[in-house]
Amino acid sequence: MSGPGQLNAEVARLLQILASTAQAPPPPVAPPTADPRRRPPPPPHAGPPAPPAAAHLDPSSITTWPTALRYITATIAPNAPAMARLSRMKQNQRDNELAWHLSREELVRKQHARAEGSRRVDEILRQFPPAGGSAPQLPDPEQDAHELRAFDLKVHRAASAMVAAMAAELAQLGMPFFCGGRGGTPRQLDDADGLEEEELRELRRRVMELVGDLVGE
């Protein structure tokens, strides 16, 4: 039977054999290096592309008020020569409208003064017997109304010519809804392009209000 010394020697030999045959842990694997010739993948799609900048829009293609507002404030409002032309145009409009209003008031005042003067003359002459002459003719209200209608017709023609001239100048400046194209042409019965006439009229009215605000009207 083996002694304790021999047993210890056998145990030590077995431990040595186990130690020499045990597998060492595999070395850590380094991550693969990126190939500099390969492009990185594109970023994920963030959504639909942004609409074109207002400054690059064709104003004749604008058919909605928000787009027109962005275009005018981004393209026309910063343009000093264009704003100077708009300011002169609006000032000319104000001067003409004031002149027409004052002229009509003056005509009405003259008619009233003429009627009042004739009435007083008639009252004075009634105090004396007629001397064979005819009685003075009092102003005819219908004649005054005809004179006033003729004046209003003259103003209407002048105002129509002014509006046409303003529309032509706005078209030259590239103002939306005035420069032709889909956004500035009334829609025809057999044509899908263009805007309804009433809608176009309303959009033009809003443009003129905005122009007045921009020039400090």
Side-chain angles (χ1 to χ4, degrees):
M1 192 169 177
S2 306
Q6 186 178 359
L7 180 60
N8 290 337
E10 186 65 22
V11 171
R13 187 178 66 83
L14 290 175
L15 291 175
Q16 186 178 5
I17 293 174
L18 291 173
S20 62
T21 58
Q23 292 185 356
V29 179
T33 58
D35 188 349
R37 295 173 298 178
R38 296 183 60 188
R39 285 185 167 183
H45 191 56
H56 301 293
L57 282 176
D58 177 5
S60 66
S61 68
I62 296 175
T63 58
T64 62
W65 174 247
T67 306
L69 180 61
R70 288 195 300 269
Y71 179 85
I72 294 171
T73 54
T75 304
I76 297 179
N79 188 327
M83 292 304 299
R85 290 177 61 179
L86 290 174
S87 181
R88 287 193 299 269
M89 183 188 71
K90 293 296 291 182
Q91 183 62 51
N92 182 67
Q93 177 190 2
R94 290 192 295 269
D95 293 344
N96 286 336
E97 290 175 348
L98 179 60
W100 297 331
H101 173 72
L102 294 178
S103 296
R104 194 180 195 280
E105 284 192 337
E106 179 65 15
L107 176 59
V108 172
R109 187 190 65 78
K110 286 182 178 180
Q111 289 180 347
H112 288 171
R114 187 167 59 222
E116 182 63 19
S118 298
R119 185 186 64 80
R120 290 181 179 180
V121 170
D122 181 63
E123 288 179 354
I124 294 174
L125 293 179
R126 287 178 186 277
Q127 300 175 11
F128 302 95
S134 59
Q137 294 291 328
L138 293 177
D140 184 3
E142 183 61 31
Q143 182 179 357
D144 288 348
H146 176 75
E147 185 180 22
L148 205 56
R149 284 195 299 269
F151 177 85
D152 290 342
L153 181 59
K154 181 180 178 181
V155 169
H156 182 268
R157 287 195 295 264
S160 298
M162 181 187 71
V163 169
M166 292 172 63
E169 186 158 11
L170 291 169
Q172 293 176 3
L173 292 173
M175 189 68 70
F177 311 125
F178 286 91
C179 56
R182 293 181 59 244
T185 305
R187 180 179 299 166
Q188 303 299 322
L189 294 177
D190 56 348
D191 191 0
D193 289 336
L195 299 170
E196 295 292 342
E197 187 171 356
E198 185 64 28
E199 182 183 10
L200 179 59
R201 187 181 299 113
E202 173 63 16
L203 290 169
R204 287 179 172 177
R205 183 192 65 80
R206 298 182 71 175
V207 167
M208 294 308 298
E209 287 184 352
L210 177 60
V211 169
D213 292 339
L214 292 174
V215 302
E217 188 177 45

